[in-house]
Amino acid sequence: MKGPGIKDYLTVLTIMKEDAQNEGKEYLEINSKQLHAEVSPEHATMPTCCQAIYKLMLEGDEIIQRPKGTTGFGSHLTVRYYMKDLENRKRMFPDKKRGRPAKTEEEKLAARRAKMKRNTEDLANLIKQWLQDHGWRYEEKKDVIEAYQQQEKWIINVQGIKRGRKQTLPVKISEALKIIEDTTTHYSIAFNDSLSYRRQWSEIPKAVKNSLNMSVILADKKGNIVKI
């Protein structure tokens, strides 16, 4: 049996807003999980539920909590509808946007990062932005980024996707050893994240990593940076 459609959700929401207005309430808060449980307890119609919630939002209403992920749909969606001037305020999300919320700057950045080709240049740009966000100054050289913060110096060898056969992590480390000048400077090799690189790095003795003052920086497909 087919579950409730968007018209069913809109009907319930409209009644709830009218009741709140008649009771003299300043606003009405709606949570998608609670609304879904009331309208569609036996069917998985959460995207339709969220779509209806967005559809009735007017300019000035607020999204108190956004769903996890990038679709805009989920059980965490919480919206605050204000009761003031309902007749004259315009809809926040016109039909051409299909009821989805406008993306935040953080979501736009995540989307741009996800579309990157993940080559050496893209990886270097991710690293530089990450350094800047964490208060590091940097100078870029060929395949190397030299970063500075107070008295600390950090040299990062960037190993993105290049032409030719993919080299193992130990081979990359042996190449990086050629640029090590002292043990007070911290050295890192930056890669696009992969299980094989993580496994190879874990197999290198901790004493060796500590003596070389070396770490690995990994960037996943969404542009998230982790240092291990």
Side-chain angles (χ1 to χ4, degrees):
M1 182 178 176
K2 186 178 179 181
I6 191 169
K7 290 183 178 180
D8 299 295
Y9 280 104
L10 290 173
T11 298
V12 173
L13 283 170
T14 300
I15 293 174
M16 294 174 72
K17 289 184 71 173
E18 289 176 351
D19 288 345
Q21 186 180 38
N22 292 335
E23 293 171 9
K25 292 183 178 179
E26 181 183 353
Y27 59 81
L28 170 68
E29 280 194 4
I30 296 294
N31 171 261
S32 57
K33 182 177 181 179
Q34 296 173 355
L35 180 63
H36 183 271
E38 179 178 341
V39 179
S40 182
E42 298 180 358
H43 298 87
T45 59
M46 182 59 74
T48 304
C49 172
C50 294
Q51 197 173 31
I53 292 174
Y54 292 131
K55 195 176 184 69
L56 286 192
M57 289 188 70
L58 304 177
E59 292 179 350
D61 291 341
E62 294 182 80
I63 298 177
I64 304 301
Q65 184 175 4
R66 293 179 179 271
K68 297 179 180 179
T70 59
T71 64
F73 302 148
S75 61
H76 290 83
L77 176 63
T78 305
V79 164
R80 179 176 292 178
Y81 298 119
Y82 286 96
M83 297 297 104
K84 182 180 179 181
D85 201 20
L86 291 177
E87 293 75 19
N88 297 319
R89 286 189 290 145
K90 296 181 180 179
R91 285 178 55 188
M92 184 176 292
F93 305 117
D95 287 336
K96 64 180 181 179
K97 293 187 179 181
R98 298 184 180 179
R100 294 194 180 191
K103 290 184 177 180
T104 64
E105 290 303 317
E106 292 79 7
E107 291 170 334
K108 291 178 182 178
L109 178 59
R112 288 196 296 270
R113 287 174 172 175
K115 292 179 181 179
M116 281 187 165
K117 298 177 181 178
R118 304 187 72 220
N119 59 24
T120 304
E121 182 180 357
D122 291 331
L123 180 57
N125 289 334
L126 284 175
I127 299 296
K128 289 185 291 184
Q129 184 61 55
W130 185 80
L131 288 169
Q132 185 175 331
D133 292 343
H134 289 78
W136 289 83
R137 296 176 292 105
Y138 62 83
E139 297 177 6
E140 187 175 12
K141 301 181 180 180
K142 184 179 180 181
D143 291 342
V144 172
I145 299 173
E146 293 187 4
Y148 304 89
Q149 189 179 74
Q150 297 179 355
Q151 303 301 318
E152 297 181 71
K153 182 179 179 181
W154 189 2
I155 296 180
I156 304 171
N157 186 274
V158 182
Q159 299 285 341
I161 297 174
K162 301 178 182 178
R163 292 182 179 180
R165 185 178 179 182
K166 185 177 180 180
Q167 293 177 310
T168 63
L169 182 60
V171 172
K172 297 291 188 182
I173 291 177
S174 66
E175 293 179 357
L177 291 176
K178 300 175 183 178
I179 66 173
I180 294 181
E181 299 177 350
D182 58 74
T183 55
T184 59
T185 299
H186 186 71
Y187 295 87
S188 291
I189 309 175
F191 296 97
N192 292 297
D193 201 352
S194 74
L195 291 176
S196 61
Y197 282 145
R198 285 178 176 265
R199 176 181 55 78
Q200 292 167 16
W201 179 249
S202 68
E203 292 173 350
I204 299 175
K206 186 176 181 180
V208 174
K209 302 172 188 175
N210 291 339
S211 62
L212 295 175
N213 200 9
M214 181 176 286
S215 63
V216 164
I217 298 174
L218 300 171
D220 66 17
K221 291 182 180 180
K222 292 184 179 180
N224 299 313
I225 301 294
V226 60
K227 176 175 170 287
I228 57 176

